[in-house]
């Protein structure tokens, strides 16, 4: 059964988890050990602040012997809006007061222009219809609205040089995309650092990571790979991700040097278009 993900549905879902947990005589700590989930995550689910992913819901069903309730009634974003594994991260992104992302291959979704995002969404497999692609495109462009407020969230983008060099569509698309990033950086809305090819290997080569901080929640890390993604909440793991990010950041070009490189590559695309 499809239940739309919204604050009310998450509160109802969390209240039912709390009711069933207490009826089973379990504390949050005891339940967290049985379902292999942090106690903090259990607390956030019960308070309606977060939603479990599908695998979490299945483990809850097994441990609570709930007949599949937690998977069937899992609040989910409407079909086609985002990948299931990204739904929780999207909600957290909207709440974050500070975000630091590392992108190894593609421009981070929050920074994508419409033309660039359309090319990215058109390149996946299996192929999407235009209607499916446009639904995803609308969601992706809406994400950029978190940058409408000049002060929050504080956004840092750490980009591998491959992000700048990997073409998406025609040279015009890439030039506009890179100039958009540079404009945001020069306006001081975001901070940008590039890890140049000349650096060689670095500590973040394993893949995409987004670090998020909040006013009233512990920090989290979101990591992503092919067809999968995971919000990490265990504080020791989150701190390790933060340390790896900081290590790579120390090897990156400065903000000013990065903006200069981004504009130089944008000019190269413009020359190629001519």
């Amino acid at each position: 059964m499809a239940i739309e993900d919204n604050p009310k549905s998450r509160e109802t879902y969390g209240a039912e988890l709390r009711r069933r947990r207490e009826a089973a005589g379990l504390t949050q700590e005891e339940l967290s050990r049985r379902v292999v989930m942090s106690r903090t995550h259990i607390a956030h689910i019960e308070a309606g602040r977060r939603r479990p992913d599908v695998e979490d819901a299945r483990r809850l069903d097994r441990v609570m012997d709930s007949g599949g309730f937690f998977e069937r009634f899992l609040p989910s974003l409407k079909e086609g809006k985002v990948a299931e594994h990204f739904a929780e991260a999207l909600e957290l992104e909207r709440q974050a007061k500070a975000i630091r992302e590392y992108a190894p291959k593609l421009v981070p979704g929050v920074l994508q222009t419409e033309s660039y995002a359309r090319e990215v969404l058109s390149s996946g497999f299996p192929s999407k219809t235009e209607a499916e692609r446009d639904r995803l495109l609308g969601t992706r462009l809406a994400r950029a609205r978190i940058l409408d407020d000049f002060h929050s969230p504080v956004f840092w983008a750490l980009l591998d040089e491959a992000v700048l060099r990997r073409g998406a569509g025609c040279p015009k698309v890439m030039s506009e995309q890179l100039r958009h990033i540079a404009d945001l950086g020069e306006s001081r809305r975001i901070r940008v650092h590039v890890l140049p090819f000349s650096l060689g290997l670095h500590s973040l080569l394993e893949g995409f990571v987004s670090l998020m901080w909040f006013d009233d929640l512990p920090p989290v890390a979101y990591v992503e790979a092919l067809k999968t993604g995971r919000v990490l909440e265990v504080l020791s793991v989150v701190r390790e991700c933060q340390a790896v990010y900081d290590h790579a950041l120390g090897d990156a070009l400065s903000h000013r040097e990065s903006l200069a490189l981004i504009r130089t590559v944008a000019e190269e695309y413009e020359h190629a278009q001519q």
Side-chain angles (χ1 to χ4, degrees), residues 35-76:
V35 297
V36 195
M37 194 186 305
S38 73
R39 187 206 62 77
T40 301
H41 193 34
I42 294 288
H44 289 326
I45 294 171
E46 291 188 352
R49 291 190 290 263
R50 295 192 186 166
R51 58 188 294 284
D53 62 21
V54 174
E55 289 303 317
D56 288 339
R58 288 171 181 167
R59 289 198 299 275
L60 285 169
D61 280 324
R62 287 196 296 270
V63 170
M64 305 292 286
D65 193 23
S66 52
F69 172 89
F70 292 107
E71 181 178 0
R72 286 201 311 275
F73 292 95
L74 177 64
S76 301

Side-chain angles (χ1 to χ4, degrees), residues 50-157:
R50 295 192 186 166
R51 58 188 294 284
D53 62 21
V54 174
E55 289 303 317
D56 288 339
R58 288 171 181 167
R59 289 198 299 275
L60 285 169
D61 280 324
R62 287 196 296 270
V63 170
M64 305 292 286
D65 193 23
S66 52
F69 172 89
F70 292 107
E71 181 178 0
R72 286 201 311 275
F73 292 95
L74 177 64
S76 301
L77 293 177
K78 290 180 180 178
E79 183 179 358
K81 282 194 172 181
V82 294
E84 174 65 26
H85 64 258
F86 183 64
E88 183 181 4
L90 177 62
E91 180 63 28
L92 292 170
E93 186 178 81
R94 293 166 178 160
Q95 302 174 35
K97 69 174 183 179
I99 301 172
R100 298 185 184 184
E101 290 192 351
Y102 163 67
K105 299 173 184 176
L106 298 173
V107 172
V110 170
L111 303 181
Q112 290 181 8
T113 63
E114 180 174 351
S115 296
Y116 183 94
R118 182 177 288 108
E119 293 293 339
V120 172
L121 293 171
S122 298
S123 67
F125 181 84
S127 299
K128 304 174 184 65
T129 66
E130 288 190 7
E132 291 170 336
R133 182 201 61 198
D134 289 346
R135 283 197 296 272
L136 292 167
L137 180 61
T139 300
R140 183 158 301 184
L141 296 178
R143 289 175 59 196
R145 296 188 62 183
I146 66 172
L147 299 180
D148 288 351
D149 183 336
F150 183 82
H151 298 288
S152 182
V154 175
F155 192 93
W156 291 15

Side-chain angles (χ1 to χ4, degrees), residues 101-108 157-163 207-209 245:
E101 290 192 351
Y102 163 67
K105 299 173 184 176
L106 298 173
V107 172
L158 180 57
L159 310 177
D160 195 285
E161 188 175 344
V163 173
F208 174 88
V209 63
Y245 187 98

Side-chain angles (χ1 to χ4, degrees), residues 10-20 45-48:
R10 290 195 299 275
E11 288 172 7
T12 301
Y13 189 89
E16 182 63 19
L17 173 58
R18 182 172 59 253
R19 186 189 71 79
R20 291 181 183 238
I45 294 171
E46 291 188 352

